[in-house]
């Protein structure tokens, strides 16, 4: 290929000149090609790999040089002699003559460079090559990566690093390639090549460690191997990227979110390092945005634009604080260099003015930002001040236009809303965005007018104050309120408040009851989402109320178990509010839907916040602060349980072993973490924990849990079993009291259930919280994130292993495969699914992988993926002719017609071929050719779910938008699934007959099956004998059937069976049908008959024998199918696996769309309209080429095959399953370089 001219100083070093003329030289790399160039060649090859030379990829090149210059220019390189010769010849024919005209050498150089660049530009234009940000060096590395590991174009390389891979005790110096889905390593040393490919989805552990011998090591573990890499130039960057890519893979396994969904990340403005790809920059930006969002509790879609060092003037202590300013699309944030000193969040929706102030020596390049609630923030020492102000004003413009749009949409709500809000005495700045008061009032009336509705936090309605005039607790509460009011005066109020050490102090002393909801909103960041989504909750409630699904069923069951001891939830008002919030959330996020423990947390949120506020607090909890906690498998809680175990080992080591032996940590942590201690501590104490949690995040829960263990260390060490340990901890937590609480004591459910032993001495919650900060306050949020990553790998891989075990356990009794074989096959099956997720398949991977489905259905493959596995594992696969057979096989296995097969269906098919007897195998082969062809016009159902819905149309209520959770559909799905699991008895006599066109296809399949067999000639001879025998049988049968038909026509013409038709003029009937059936078939040997097999009437035969071809369709109701569903229904008309003995023709009544009274005569045209699937384009009828009356039965086929010993041997030949599985794994490694797990290849040069 032509390349942009680059200068080369030493043209002769390591290259051999093959052709030359005055201006151009064609060279070959030493050691390339025949003979390898001896030792010099080996050394050059090794150098190329170690130094990442492009010559490894392109061993030929053309240099340009003017006669008097010492500098050469590379203008083309090639991977083969043929490619480079074409370029050379083009230069000789087109350029050499022209160059001799120039007088000046500089002109020649300019001309040649321009010409080459012109060729490249034209090529890019013609081949639609998109310009991207990647450097040539990186593109070269990508090409090398794809060539070395056989990766397709879709597999994007992110970055590559030089390092050593330890193979045994020998380090191999080479290159580590990190792509979106794989970690690959390549090394070539003195003729020895080493390759390694590991899928990110297979990694169980990824850690950075240091030993005495190797200071920096990255260890990558999979289920079967451990790989060690060392000698990195920048180990931290490499490890962070590896961690990020492994995380993306885990996310894909967990909830099927692919990487592609959010790649529109901001491009970095500065010039990036030479080697960094656009994708790597995108991933870096994504990681920075994640850290930024976590630090300031911002909404999930907020993307960081940039950050810069600066100082902030803090009026409360009259200082310039050094820190960093972060700017994103909707926020300006600041955090001090000293972590706890000060942080600040300014939403752009609150900003009124951004201006450059006058510079001075004291205050260089300052910017002042004013907000709606009359606060002004002064930033100084800003580099690039003009650029920064420009960026902020651009974002401001976008924000104001958004606000105007929202105002237009919500009409004139805002003016009244402000008044309502201020009447409630809001702590938040009364900006137009806080238009929530009256909206929430309207919201509450949506459900049922008979139910009393709550217009404010439930606690304010159910506060039962003690009767005394003066109460010391009330006085203390009043003092707390005053302290907070003073704080607001000094540090500002609302979102733009300065958050300092003083704020934290106040939180640790406990938030006053009537400020709790407002401050929770502020500290959790929920206030931002609520402000930017006015009316969202109201719409959700409207849409979700009255909908019925699995989530709503569970919500109804748990409503009365949510804080039943609190008066607010002892009546319909509190229950209705809880129902609305939980249902709206399940509707917003069907991936989570509803999980137990959400009800307890939400009921507490409702006590202190208005309904809409409680909803947004729940969003912040489930989606940001406790990620993955409440999904179907509580993955987040399991991850944090692992983190807690690690922290316990580090901070209370003397207790750790004892706790592990008792198995207590796993028991306690789930209940403590999922409900934030609300279910295990008295209510008034637990809300103090929630206060701290909203301010400081998950570290508070870890600190507190460690404090509880630490306080009970001696009692726990003396425990004999987990029950005793749980009692100790339970009694301790019950005794945690809040002496400042103004609430009347609420009996705590947990304490009512514990034993009647000595009550534990009271523990003050504030002292407990403070001691947790003192002893364990050193736990940092970023360290927790690091630990979470490590645990997430472990938890998700454990879940995957559990799924595998459950699938294998479910089907091991139905098949002759051993457990080990099934596990290996499952790994291959899943690998095939993952491959198509990475590189695209013919169907959408999100439809094929749904973690909420039963285990067997979680991974499914489509026909393209099945073809790949068929070629590798199935004994009948034979290279070139395998695909048509694989497609037939797939359609036979796909019982529910959703164009996807699950693991059980796959194993059933493979089981017959590997372990079935002769008759079973032949029956399978026969049935593959009896089922009707799928025509291109058919609309396939999108998933098994839709296919099921279609079958049960008349009984499935259309109630749910959240399809996955719809209970009736879910149950019917399980019912269908159970029906499939029952073994079906099948009589060979019930199999439909094979007509002539199907028989022709059948013969083709037989001939092609033996094409690579050792006894090929013998088998061909045997097949010829069998087919000629069957042809004769069909001819004889035809004589009987035609005479039989004449008798029928004369005797029972008026019979009202569906498939009997008036055949007074059989010729015209046959022609009418054959016209519609065969019109667009171009070749008589295309199995057109197959496509119309569902309707025997189309074949022009009305006799018993012919109509017996069709099995009855017991479970399929098509009467009310709409015309657009004919495609689907026709694929189902033959249920080949469920044939039962049925002499009556009544089952065919389904073919007539709703005609219950049958005419004496059935017009052939009607049937053609109902059932013929083939397009009727213009064309000649080919009815003459296929004999409609010809047919054979399965018994005839079986008997014929048994006469030929060669065929019997072929079909009875034992299959070595283990060898096939091993071969499949190896092919996956070398061929498409896709590991079933990870693998290595070493090839001697």
């Amino acid at each position: 290929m032509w390349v942009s001219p680059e200068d080369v100083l030493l043209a002769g070093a390591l290259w051999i000149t093959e052709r030359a003329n005055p201006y151009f030289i064609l060279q070959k790399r030493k050691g390339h090609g025949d003979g390898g160039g001896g030792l010099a060649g080996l050394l050059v090859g090794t150098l190329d790999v170690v130094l990442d030379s492009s010559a490894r990829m392109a061993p030929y090149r053309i240099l340009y040089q003017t006669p008097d210059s010492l500098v050469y220019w590379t203008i083309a390189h090639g991977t083969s002699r043929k490619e480079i010769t074409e370029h050379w010849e083009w230069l000789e024919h087109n350029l050499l003559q022209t160059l001799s005209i120039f007088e000046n050498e500089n002109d020649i150089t300019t001309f040649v460079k321009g010409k080459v660049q012109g060729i490249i530009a034209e090529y890019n234009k013609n081949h639609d090559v998109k310009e991207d940000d990647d450097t040539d060096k990186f593109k070269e590395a990508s090409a090398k990566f794809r060539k070395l590991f056989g990766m397709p174009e879709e597999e994007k390389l992110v970055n590559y690093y030089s390092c050593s891979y330890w193979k045994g005790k020998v380090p191999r110096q080479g290159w580590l390639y990190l792509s979106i889905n794989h970690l690959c390593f390549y090394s070539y040393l003195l003729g020895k090549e080493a390759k390694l490919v590991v899928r990110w989805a297979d990694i169980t552990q990824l850690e950075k460690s240091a030993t005495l011998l190797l200071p920096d090591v990255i260890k990558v573990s999979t289920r079967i191997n451990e790989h060690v890499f060392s000698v990195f130039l920048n180990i931290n960057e490499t490890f962070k990227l590896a961690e990020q890519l492994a995380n993306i893979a885990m996310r894909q396994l967990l909830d099927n979110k692919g990487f592609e969904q959010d790649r529109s990340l901001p491009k970095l403005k500065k010039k990036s390092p030479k080697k960094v790809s656009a994708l790597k920059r995108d991933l870096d930006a994504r990681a920075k945005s994640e850290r930024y969002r976590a630090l300031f509790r911002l909404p999930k879609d907020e993307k960081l634009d940039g950050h810069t060092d600066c100082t902030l003037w803090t009026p409360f202590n009259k200082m310039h604080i050094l820190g960093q300013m972060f700017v994103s699309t909707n926020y300006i944030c600041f955090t001090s260099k000293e972590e706890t000193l000060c942080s600040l969040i300014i939403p752009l929706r609150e900003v009124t003015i951004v201006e450059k102030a006058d510079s001075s020596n004291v205050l260089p390049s300052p910017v002042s930002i004013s907000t709606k609630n009359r606060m002004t923030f002064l930033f100084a020492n800003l580099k690039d001040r003009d650029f920064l102000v420009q960026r902020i004003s651009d974002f401001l413009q976008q924000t104001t236009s958004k606000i105007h749009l929202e105002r237009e949409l919500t009409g004139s709500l805002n003016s009244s809303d402000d008044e309502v809000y201020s009447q409630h005495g809001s702590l938040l700045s009364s900006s137009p965005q806080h238009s929530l008061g009256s909206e929430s009032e309207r919201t509450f009336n949506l459900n049922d007018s008979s139910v009393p509705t709550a217009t404010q936090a439930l606690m304010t309605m159910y506060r039962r104050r003690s009767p005394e005039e003066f109460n010391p607790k009330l006085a203390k509460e009043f003092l707390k309120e005053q302290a907070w009011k003073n704080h607001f005066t000094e540090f500002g109020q609302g979102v733009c408040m300065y958050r300092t050490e003083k704020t934290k102090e106040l939180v640790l002393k406990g938030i006053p009851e009537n400020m709790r909801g407002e401050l929770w909103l502020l500290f959790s960041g929920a206030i931002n989402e609520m402000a930017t989504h006015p009316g969202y909750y109201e719409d959700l409630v409207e849409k979700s109320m009255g909908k019925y699904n699995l989530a709503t069923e569970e919500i109804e069951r748990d409503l009365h178990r949510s804080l039943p001891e609190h008066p607010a939830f002892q009546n319909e008002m509190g229950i209705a509010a809880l129902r609305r919030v939980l249902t709206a959330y399940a509707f917003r996020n069907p991936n989570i839907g509803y999980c137990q423990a959400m009800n307890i947390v939400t009921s507490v949120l409702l006590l202190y916040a208005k309904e809409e506020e409680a909803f947004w607090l729940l969003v912040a909890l489930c989606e940001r602060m406790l990620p993955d906690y409440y999904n179907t498998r509580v993955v987040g809680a399991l991850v944090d349980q692992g983190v807690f175990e690690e922290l316990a080992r580090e901070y209370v080591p003397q207790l750790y072993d004892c706790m592990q032996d008792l198995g207590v940590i796993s028991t306690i942590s789930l209940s403590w973490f999922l409900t934030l201690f609300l279910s295990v501590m008295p209510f008034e104490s637990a809300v103090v924990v929630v206060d701290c949690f909203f301010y400081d995040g998950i570290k508070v829960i870890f600190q507190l849990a460690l404090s509880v263990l630490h306080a009970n260390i001696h009692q726990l060490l003396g425990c004999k079993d987990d029950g005793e340990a749980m009692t100790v901890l339970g009694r301790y937590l019950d005794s945690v009291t809040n002496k400042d609480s103004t609430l009347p004591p609420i009996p705590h459910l947990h304490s009512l259930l514990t034993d009647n032993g000595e009550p534990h001495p009271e523990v003050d919650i504030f002292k407990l919280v403070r001691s947790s900060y003192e002893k364990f306050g050193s736990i940092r949020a970023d360290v927790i994130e690091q630990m979470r990553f490590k645990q997430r790998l472990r938890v998700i891989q454990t879940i995957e292993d559990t799924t595998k075990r459950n699938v294998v356990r479910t089907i091991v009794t139905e098949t002759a495969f051993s457990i080990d074989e099934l596990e290996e096959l499952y790994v291959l099956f899943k690998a095939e699914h993952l491959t198509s997720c990475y590189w695209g398949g013919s169907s959408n991977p999100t439809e094929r992988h749904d973690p909420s489905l039963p285990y067997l259905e979680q991974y499914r493959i489509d026909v393209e993926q099945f073809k790949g596995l068929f070629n590798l594992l199935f004994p009948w696969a034979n290279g070139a002719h395998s695909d048509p057979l694989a497609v037939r096989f797939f359609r036979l296995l796909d019982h529910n017609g959703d164009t996807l097969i699950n693991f059980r269906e796959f194993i059933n098919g493979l089981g017959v071929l590997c372990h079935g007897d002769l008759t079973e195998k032949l029956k399978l082969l026969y049935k593959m050719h009896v089922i009707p062809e799928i025509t291109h016009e058919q609309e396939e159902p999108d998933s098994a779910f839709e296919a099921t819905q279609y079958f049960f149309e008349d009984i499935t209520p259309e109630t749910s938008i959240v399809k996955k959770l719809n209970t009736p559909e879910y149950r019917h799905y399980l019912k269908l699934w159970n029906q499939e699991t029952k073994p079906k008895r099948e009589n060979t006599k019930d199999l439909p007959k094979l007509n002539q066109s199907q028989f022709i296809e059948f013969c083709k399949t037989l001939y092609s099956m033996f094409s690579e067999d050792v006894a090929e000639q013998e088998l061909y001879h045997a097949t010829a004998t069998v087919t000629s025998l069957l042809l004769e049988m069909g001819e004889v049968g035809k004589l009987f059937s035609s005479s039989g038909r004449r008798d029928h026509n004369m005797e029972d013409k008026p019979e009202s069976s569906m498939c009997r038709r008036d055949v007074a003029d059989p010729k015209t009937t046959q022609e009418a049908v054959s016209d519609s059936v065969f019109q667009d078939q171009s070749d008589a040997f295309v199995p057109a008959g197959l496509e119309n097999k569902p309707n025997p009437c189309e074949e022009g035969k009305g006799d018993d024998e012919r109509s017996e071809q069709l099995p009855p369709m017991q479970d399929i109701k098509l009467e009310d199918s709409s015309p657009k569903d004919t495609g689907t229904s026709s694929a189902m008309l033959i249920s080949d696996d469920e044939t039962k003995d049925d002499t009556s023709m009544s089952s065919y009544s389904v073919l007539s769309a709703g005609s219950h009274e049958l005419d004496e005569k059935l017009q052939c045209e009607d049937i053609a309209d109902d059932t013929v699937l083939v397009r009727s384009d213009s064309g000649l009828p080919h009815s003459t080429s296929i004999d409609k009356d010809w047919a054979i039965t399965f018994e005839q086929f079986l008997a014929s095959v048994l006469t030929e010993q060669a065929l019997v041997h072929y079909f009875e030949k034992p299959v070595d399953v283990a060898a096939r599985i091993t071969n499949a794994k190896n092919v996956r490694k070398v061929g498409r370089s896709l590991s079933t797990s990870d693998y290595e290849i070493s090839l001697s040069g």
Side-chain angles (χ1 to χ4, degrees), residues 137 505 838 881 919 957 1169 1237:
K137 181 83 174 153
E505 278 299 311
Y838 300 155
H881 303 285
T919 315
D1169 285 349
S1237 157

Side-chain angles (χ1 to χ4, degrees), residues 555-572:
I555 290 168
E556 286 303 322
R557 199 173 56 225
D558 284 354
L559 282 175
H560 295 278
R561 303 178 192 168
S562 314
L563 284 193
E565 62 272 25
H566 198 284
F569 297 101
Q570 290 165 1
N571 63 59
E572 195 47 46

